[in-house]
Amino acid sequence: DSWTATSTVNAPAPRAVHAAVWSGDRMLVWGGLNGSTNLNTGAQYNPLGDIWTAISTVNAPAPRAGYTAVFAGDSMVIWGGQNGVTYLGSGGRYDPGADTWKPTSTGNAPAPRIGHSAVAAGRFMIVWGGGNDFEIFGSGAMYDTLTDAWFDLPNAGSPAPRAFHTAVWTGYEMLIWGGTEFFSEPTTGFRLQPF
């Protein structure tokens, strides 16, 4: 019941507002902000060897912060966020075994946003909510890592629009709770069974 520092050898550059996911045997850290600079770099951390290995930047998504990341199928999938000027509706899939990136399709993808939630459901990433300077969204979509395709989530009975809420995947449904709606913080939650 104690803390042990991770190695700093080959660790990523200092950053905040980034994301990290667990691949099954290592932590993948990517993106975020270093001061006011958006990053599109990262590294894999192997706790068994206490070793950091840089993630390739070849074909990596554009630098960003405030995005979501999940490990779905056999890839880290990142999507959305902003680069300090523009809200982004793009993303990428990172294969840690091959150390390669592929872009996510933008066809039928959700509108660009931050403050959204994302969960991994097998090979799928489910994105919901979030917002930009002008709108809070009550919508989302499901991304299939196998077919590189987006599918709209149902609107019937969906939660009121909100951003910066939390979400988890139980194994068969997505649960969301809380968040903000411009001028209020809802104390409500919802369940979605997408399959």
Side-chain angles (χ1 to χ4, degrees):
D1 190 20
S2 62
W3 290 91
T4 303
T6 61
S7 171
T8 56
V9 176
N10 297 321
R15 65 194 65 206
V17 201
H18 57 287
V21 301
W22 182 248
S23 72
D25 64 357
R26 65 197 69 188
M27 176 176 67
L28 309 176
V29 174
W30 188 85
L33 285 171
N34 181 324
S36 60
T37 302
N38 285 273
L39 303 172
N40 72 338
T41 60
Q44 304 183 33
Y45 176 71
N46 181 341
L48 290 181
D50 192 24
I51 296 169
W52 287 99
T53 305
I55 287 174
S56 173
T57 57
V58 176
N59 297 319
R64 66 191 68 203
Y67 60 95
T68 52
V70 300
F71 197 83
D74 59 1
S75 302
M76 173 174 68
V77 185
I78 69 104
W79 187 84
Q82 66 180 147
N83 62 13
V85 177
T86 304
Y87 291 92
L88 303 169
S90 61
R93 293 174 289 163
Y94 175 71
D95 179 340
D99 190 30
T100 56
W101 285 97
K102 292 181 181 177
T104 57
S105 170
T106 56
N108 206 43
R113 62 190 70 188
I114 63 168
H116 55 288
S117 62
V119 297
R123 72 178 202 239
F124 297 93
M125 175 178 67
I126 304 173
V127 171
W128 191 85
N132 56 36
D133 289 337
F134 308 104
E135 183 178 3
I136 300 291
F137 296 105
S139 61
M142 187 162 56
Y143 176 74
D144 186 342
T145 61
L146 188 62
T147 63
D148 188 32
W150 287 94
F151 304 93
D152 291 335
L153 295 178
N155 288 323
S158 66
R162 65 189 71 193
F164 302 105
H165 53 284
T166 54
V168 296
W169 178 251
T170 69
Y172 63 94
E173 62 185 354
M174 179 181 185
L175 308 178
I176 71 153
W177 194 87
T180 184
E181 305 169 302
F182 278 127
F183 304 111
S184 66
E185 283 70 47
T187 56
T188 56
F190 286 80
R191 301 159 60 169
L192 169 68
Q193 293 184 6
F195 307 112

